[in-house]
Amino acid sequence: MKCNKYPLSRSIENNSLVVFGCMGLGGTWDKNPISAVDIKKAHEVVDAAIDSGIKVFDHADIYTFGKAEQVFGEVLAARPELRSLISIQSKCAIRFEDELGPQRYDFSPEWIINSVENILSRLKIEQLDILMLHRPDPLMEPELIAQAFDTLTASGKVKHFGVSNMQHHQMSFLSSALSQPLIVNQVELSLSHLAWLEEGVTSGNSGEPSVNYGAGTIEYCRQNNIQLQSWGCLSQGLFTGRDITQEPLHIQKTAALVTQLAAEYQVSKEAIVLSWLTRHPANIQPVIGTTNIERIKACADVNNMKLTREHWYALWLCARGHALP
Ligand SMILES: NC(=O)c1ccc[n+]([C@@H]2O[C@H](COP(=O)([O-])OP(=O)(O)OC[C@H]3O[C@@H](n4cnc5c(N)ncnc54)[C@H](OP(=O)(O)O)[C@@H]3O)[C@@H](O)[C@H]2O)c1
């Protein structure tokens, strides 16, 4: 079996344990132009992230309808020295309903290449460090995607490729036609989204619900040096301070355990929640989506801690709400 100690994507330049998710930049999800306030906020957020040791910034062409990339482009234009200090990844292939058709995913080479042109233009950069296909398109034809990836590699517009929300058989199918390795898969993994672990311990166990996650995805990524990135990693504050008085008892108990462990390890609550992901041997990279400066800084505590096996299991058991089989 291949050794996963130093996955390829962790070894590319400008990598970091935590990734900053830019979905909250660019103001509101509408077609209004970006404002000076949105740009100022982006400067503050980027500074807080870099001060917290973050070197990777996650985008998608759809975030705030392109405005997240636009404000980020303004930050880079004002401070071009930042470009060499960070890695920038973005995603394409989710299409909203428009005059041409309904909501859809689009892995056609024309759409992929066109999307990259638009992403680079909004970000005001020459090359994306990583391009990811955002959600699996049932109409995907790997040979055609390979043509698009080859074109983007030859033109220097994309350095590396990855996917998001894909299961192992989809990655394997796609990879069979590609000349480039897939180096990232970004999926939802968190203390409130446990499906990635459940399938591994509940299969064949009567009485346990089938979660239909696609067992083997975590192992496939580990074996093939594909960096797992977790979106929704803070569970939108569910365990770190959001009002949860209406949530089920096991969620409230998990939040209390997070608070207790934060005091014990002398770190922030955010660090405990993120550490539950980074403690997993798959080297999961959390993609944090907070735009609150104090919360961004609080997340940095995860760089200096490691949960014990016992605390990792205590959090899992509490969050799943019942005993393991
Ligand atoms: N690949 C995909 O399909 C996909 C899907 C979704 C997201 N993403 C990526 O993943 C990143 C993170 O995703 P996410 O934003 O869904 O997850 P998240 O990091 O778990 O949650 C961030 C959100 O939770 C709020 N929050 C966090 N702590 C809070 C607290 N204590 N009290 C109140 N609110 C709190 C934040 O608000 P504040 O800003 O006020 O802190 C922010 O709106 C995104 O930015 C994006 O880059 C990828």
Side-chain angles (χ1 to χ4, degrees):
M1 192 169 109
K2 282 187 214 162
C3 172
N4 179 48
K5 227 171 174 182
Y6 304 104
L8 175 68
S9 47
R10 275 280 171 85
S11 66
I12 64 169
E13 62 268 46
N14 296 334
N15 220 331
S16 53
L17 181 62
V18 176
V19 173
F20 186 79
C22 297
M23 191 169 73
L25 298 184
T28 43
W29 286 69
D30 56 36
K31 301 278 163 71
N32 294 334
I34 54 169
S35 68
V37 173
D38 300 331
I39 297 170
K40 182 169 176 284
K41 177 72 180 173
H43 276 284
E44 290 165 0
V45 162
V46 169
D47 281 338
I50 290 175
D51 288 350
S52 305
I54 291 175
K55 293 179 180 160
V56 183
F57 290 82
D58 177 69
H59 284 274
D61 56 358
I62 58 168
Y63 293 163
T64 51
F65 294 129
K67 295 196 289 181
E69 289 176 335
Q70 254 183 293
V71 289
F72 205 89
E74 294 299 326
V75 171
L76 291 175
R79 295 148 73 195
E81 69 280 6
L82 288 182
R83 181 65 189 103
S84 62
L85 305 176
I86 60 173
S87 286
I88 303 176
Q89 58 185 44
S90 191
K91 317 179 199 78
C92 71
I94 293 182
R95 297 184 68 170
F96 296 121
E97 181 178 358
D98 56 18
E99 62 286 358
L100 300 173
Q103 178 204 13
R104 57 211 183 275
Y105 306 138
D106 194 339
F107 282 7
S108 67
E110 300 76 22
W111 184 257
I112 293 172
I113 291 169
N114 190 39
S115 300
V116 169
E117 307 278 357
N118 290 330
I119 289 168
L120 293 176
S121 147
R122 282 190 292 267
L123 288 170
K124 299 185 194 288
I125 57 174
E126 304 292 318
Q127 184 184 53
L128 260 188
D129 293 291
I130 307 176
L131 173 73
M132 289 183 246
L133 301 176
H134 205 153
R135 281 196 174 275
D137 174 9
L139 302 181
M140 85 159 145
E141 296 182 62
E143 294 74 15
L144 298 183
I145 298 168
Q147 285 173 19
F149 283 11
D150 286 346
T151 302
L152 292 167
T153 302
S155 63
K157 290 182 176 161
V158 175
K159 208 178 213 177
H160 299 287
F161 296 90
V163 292
S164 177
N165 302 302
M166 271 207 192
Q167 298 186 16
H168 66 95
H169 52 270
Q170 295 166 318
M171 281 183 278
S172 173
F173 180 47
L174 173 56
S175 291
S176 67
L178 298 180
S179 328
Q180 305 81 3
L182 294 174
I183 68 162
V184 179
N185 185 20
Q186 188 177 109
V187 285
E188 186 173 15
L189 314 169
S190 72
L191 261 180
S192 60
H193 195 89
L194 297 168
W196 60 289
L197 291 173
E198 294 298 311
E199 199 77 63
V201 296
T202 57
S203 63
N205 220 286
S206 58
E208 290 283 353
S210 167
V211 289
N212 195 26
Y213 183 73
T217 297
I218 302 295
E219 290 78 4
Y220 178 86
C221 289
R222 290 178 70 179
Q223 276 188 308
N224 290 284
N225 281 344
I226 296 170
Q227 175 74 61
L228 279 158
Q229 293 183 341
S230 57
W231 63 267
C233 55
L234 291 171
S235 298
Q236 291 81 33
L238 193 62
F239 307 110
T240 53
R242 207 174 83 196
D243 178 12
I244 51 167
T245 43
Q246 302 303 315
E247 298 290 339
L249 192 58
H250 71 281
I251 296 293
Q252 299 189 27
K253 281 186 174 171
T254 308
L257 179 56
V258 167
T259 303
Q260 179 200 314
L261 291 175
E264 212 168 302
Y265 284 77
Q266 300 199 319
V267 296
S268 65
K269 291 188 266 191
E270 284 79 6
I272 297 295
V273 165
L274 299 179
S275 179
W276 187 75
L277 294 165
T278 58
R279 172 65 177 81
H280 191 279
N283 287 326
I284 295 164
Q285 262 184 326
V287 184
I288 60 166
T290 176
T291 54
N292 174 301
I293 303 299
E294 290 314 311
R295 277 199 267 276
I296 294 170
K297 291 183 178 163
C299 290
D301 284 355
V302 71
N303 292 311
N304 306 313
M305 66 164 298
K306 184 178 180 183
L307 284 172
T308 64
R309 173 179 289 269
E310 288 67 32
H311 287 148
W312 188 89
Y313 268 90
L315 284 164
W316 183 21
L317 286 172
C318 215
R320 83 194 294 269
H322 58 290
L324 288 166

